[in-house]
Amino acid sequence: MDHRNQTVAVIGAGDYIGAEICKAFAAEGFTIFAGRRNGDKLAPLVAEIEAMGGRIEARTLDARNEDEVVAFIAEAEATAPLEVCIFNIGANVNFPFTETTERVFRKVWEMACYAGFLTGREAAKTMLPRNRGCIFFTGATAGLRGGKGFAAFASAKFGLRALAESAARELMPQGIHVAHLVIDSGVDTAWVRDRMAEAGKDRVLMDPASVAQTYIQLWKQPRDAWTFETQIRPMGEAW
């Protein structure tokens, strides 16, 4: 199929996993709509994708704002039919339970769960008339089990997983592939490597490009063999 007349929306197009997702789908021929809180930071990604002959539209997007999400998805759909929508906002923070403020807890929930609801709902509205499309959510180990210092993050990611499962049960029979991807590892970024060095730890980290390829694999799955949830981790990762 020629994907030049289809779009992929990536909400949470950060410098690592989000950027690699954008590049992977651009390489498949899609027009990319990339959104993050500071759209100016997308300039290097835009340059890289355009240099490889791809097409990308970069937007500043507060995914907690309903009007902005509605407009972002509508613009992607107006450009070309929306084939894939990926919610990739992390919001990972660590605070002792008694030091987790109301503001932190609420903001993390808004970013990692509520924004996922807005994204998934709007994507589903555009896809259902065609009875096709993919809506993928980036999850985390914290969405499967709570951990010390992760009351805010875990509760938000638990909520996102429940949201994704509810959406999958409703939308998959109508032709929309909904999947939740659990990333059970540290991701190979400069920040993570620095923190590990400070702690004297040594472990295999996950390449963001490898994560992106998992999304490509999910998108390519035939309709009679759809995955709802998959967990990925490096070889040797303790779990």
Side-chain angles (χ1 to χ4, degrees), residues 31-35 42 46 55-59 72 75 79:
T31 296
I32 308 301
F33 267 73
L42 289 166
V46 170
R55 297 174 303 281
I56 179 170
E57 298 289 339
R59 299 289 184 268
F72 180 80
E75 186 180 6
T79 300

Side-chain angles (χ1 to χ4, degrees), residues 14-33:
D15 295 333
Y16 300 102
I17 292 175
E20 293 297 334
I21 290 171
C22 291
K23 289 188 283 186
F25 278 97
E28 295 286 342
F30 291 98
T31 296
I32 308 301
F33 267 73

Side-chain angles (χ1 to χ4, degrees), residues 189-223:
T189 68
W191 185 86
V192 170
R193 289 194 300 270
D194 289 346
R195 300 292 81 75
M196 288 176 56
E198 290 174 4
K201 296 180 179 179
D202 183 23
R203 59 185 286 200
V204 177
L205 297 174
M206 187 175 292
D207 186 338
S210 300
V211 179
Q213 285 305 308
T214 302
Y215 282 109
I216 294 292
Q217 293 163 13
L218 287 169
W219 159 65
K220 289 183 175 181
Q221 287 182 335
R223 286 189 163 203

Side-chain angles (χ1 to χ4, degrees), residues 35-171:
R36 63 183 292 176
R37 279 181 292 177
N38 186 342
D40 291 341
K41 292 184 177 180
L42 289 166
L45 176 63
V46 170
E48 185 173 356
I49 288 178
E50 290 181 345
M52 65 186 235
R55 297 174 303 281
I56 179 170
E57 298 289 339
R59 299 289 184 268
T60 294
L61 175 67
D62 182 350
R64 301 168 297 169
N65 184 301
E66 183 177 25
D67 291 341
E68 290 189 25
V69 173
V70 170
F72 180 80
I73 296 296
E75 186 180 6
E77 172 72 8
T79 300
L82 181 65
E83 177 70 6
V84 182
C85 182
I86 297 172
F87 179 77
N88 185 59
I89 293 178
N92 188 348
V93 297
N94 184 293
F95 289 100
F97 188 70
T98 57
E99 296 175 21
T100 302
T101 66
E102 182 275 340
R103 181 178 181 276
V104 165
F105 191 93
R106 174 167 43 84
K107 184 176 180 180
V108 171
W109 173 79
E110 288 176 346
M111 293 173 64
C113 185
Y114 173 65
F117 157 70
L118 295 176
T119 297
R121 184 194 68 186
E122 292 308 305
K125 286 180 180 179
T126 68
M127 295 174 179
L128 279 171
R130 294 188 290 273
N131 297 114
R132 65 170 293 120
C134 301
I135 304 172
F136 300 149
F137 298 91
T138 300
T141 310
L144 303 179
R145 58 180 183 270
K148 180 180 177 181
F150 291 107
F153 184 57
S155 60
K157 284 297 187 180
F158 261 80
L160 183 70
R161 182 176 185 271
L163 166 76
E165 187 170 11
S166 295
R169 292 177 182 274
E170 183 173 343
L171 298 175

